[in-house]
Amino acid sequence: MHTKLKNKKIALFGLGEAGSIIAIDMHKAGLNITAYDPKQVVIPEGINRAQTASEAATGADMVIALTAGDDALGALDQAITDIPTSALYADFSTNSASAKLAMADRAAGYGFDFVDVALMTVVPGKSLRTPVTISGTGAVRFEKIFTSLGMPVNRLDADAGEAATRKLLRSVMMKGLAAVIIESMRAGEAAGCSDWLWQNLSDEIAQADQTLIARLVIGTERHARRRLYEMECSAKLLRDLDIKPTMTQATIDSLKLVIDSGLPAIPSQ
C-alpha cells in the first residue's frame, strides 16, 4: 500500500457498482475514503458519507470520480472551488477525448492536477486489479499511488483525452461484438436453435487467438465478394425470421467499403 496515503483524505464521487467496489477495496487497504453520491445509495461499511460534494472535496488530497460519462463534467464542477490546488483529480468516466480535455482545462484553471483514467475491462471481479490506461498532468502521481495498490497502470506521456481515445477505440470492437452476438442470438431463438448457436459462438470465441483474428481481417479483403453475398443471405434470413438485421447490415456496408477501399493498415504478422 502507498503508505503516504494512510493519513490522507480521499474523496470519491459516485457509489454505483464500480465506485462501491473500488471504495471497499481502498478502505480494506487502510485508506480514508469520504464518498458523495446524490442518490440514496447503500454506503459500504467503513466508508464515510458526505452530505454534499463540497464536504467530500474540502481538504481532499485526491478526488476519484467514478460517475457516468454524461455526469462527469458536472461532478467536477459541483465542488471545483473546494478542491485544493495540491489535490489530484482522477476521472474514471468513459467519455470522449474532448470531454476529458474540457475537464483537464477546468482543473488547470483552478490549479490542480487532472488524470484521464480509462478502465480497460469491467471492475466487478477485479476492483483495484482492473487494468487502466491513463494520461494527463496527474498521470505520474496516479501511477505511483495506484500501482502501489496493485492496479495495472499503462501510463501515456500525453494529454488528457489520449487514454479516453484508446478506450473508445477498443469499445468499437468490444461493444460491437456484444451487439453482433445479441443479434445472432435473437435470430437463433427465432429459428429454434439458440442452444446450439450459443455453444457454437462460445466455442469460437474461447478458441480465438491473434492468428485467427489476423486471418479473419486479412482474409476479408481476399474473400470480400464471397462474404458479401453470404451476409446478404444472412440479412435475408433474419428478415424472414422477423429480426431486424442491424449489425448484419452494418457488416454488409463494411464489406462494400473493403471492396471499394481495401483494408486499414494492419500491423505485420
Side-chain angles (χ1 to χ4, degrees):
M1 196 204 74
H2 200 275
T3 55
K4 290 184 179 180
L5 285 177
K6 268 205 167 184
N7 299 315
K8 303 295 186 181
K9 178 181 178 182
I10 300 172
L12 187 143
F13 293 162
L15 282 170
E17 182 181 50
S20 293
I21 291 170
I22 287 178
I24 290 169
D25 242 21
M26 293 186 78
H27 170 68
K28 288 179 179 177
L31 304 182
N32 175 27
I33 310 296
T34 299
Y36 171 72
D37 194 304
K39 298 178 182 177
Q40 292 302 309
V41 295
V42 176
I43 305 301
E45 186 177 351
I47 305 303
N48 306 310
R49 177 163 196 168
Q51 296 305 308
T52 65
S54 294
E55 179 188 342
T58 298
D61 297 280
M62 177 167 60
V63 181
I64 299 171
L66 282 144
T67 68
D70 54 1
D71 292 330
L73 186 55
L76 172 60
D77 279 345
Q78 66 187 338
I80 198 165
T81 58
D82 301 296
I83 300 172
T85 56
S86 58
L88 169 64
Y89 192 96
D91 180 75
F92 281 72
S93 71
T94 297
N95 231 315
S96 65
S98 60
K100 295 280 188 167
L101 278 170
M103 285 186 276
D105 287 345
R106 293 283 286 159
Y110 283 84
F112 55 86
D113 283 338
F114 177 89
V115 58
D116 168 14
V117 184
L119 293 161
M120 302 308 284
T121 187
V122 295
V123 172
K126 293 184 176 64
S127 189
L128 286 174
R129 298 288 191 275
T130 306
V132 297
T133 296
I134 62 172
S135 63
T137 58
V140 171
R141 290 173 65 187
F142 182 95
E143 182 180 35
K144 288 179 180 178
I145 293 167
F146 280 85
T147 53
S148 73
L149 294 171
M151 180 174 278
V153 177
N154 172 32
R155 176 171 58 85
L156 305 175
D157 292 320
D159 293 337
E162 286 298 319
T165 293
R166 283 158 175 75
K167 167 77 179 271
L168 295 179
L169 288 171
R170 181 179 181 275
S171 295
V172 172
M173 192 280 286
M174 295 300 291
K175 275 49 177 190
L177 177 61
V180 166
I181 292 171
I182 290 168
E183 182 165 296
S184 182
M185 289 303 299
R186 288 192 198 283
E189 185 177 47
C193 58
S194 57
D195 289 346
W196 169 83
L197 182 58
W198 179 259
Q199 189 61 53
N200 184 271
L201 297 178
S202 298
D203 289 345
E204 288 287 348
I205 293 171
Q207 295 169 18
D209 57 15
Q210 192 173 44
T211 300
L212 174 61
I213 295 169
R215 187 165 68 246
L216 285 173
V217 173
I218 295 169
T220 294
E221 186 170 30
R222 185 180 307 121
H223 304 293
R225 294 189 183 279
R226 177 180 61 78
R227 291 182 182 182
L228 174 60
Y229 179 75
E230 180 179 342
M231 294 311 297
E232 288 172 338
C233 291
S234 297
K236 182 179 184 305
L237 170 62
L238 266 62
R239 292 190 187 96
D240 290 345
L241 294 168
D242 203 26
I243 302 297
K244 186 178 180 180
T246 303
M247 300 304 294
T248 305
Q249 184 59 51
T251 301
I252 290 170
D253 294 341
S254 177
L255 284 164
K256 289 178 179 177
L257 183 59
V258 169
I259 292 170
D260 290 341
S261 305
L263 293 173
I266 307 296
S268 58
Q269 304 301 313

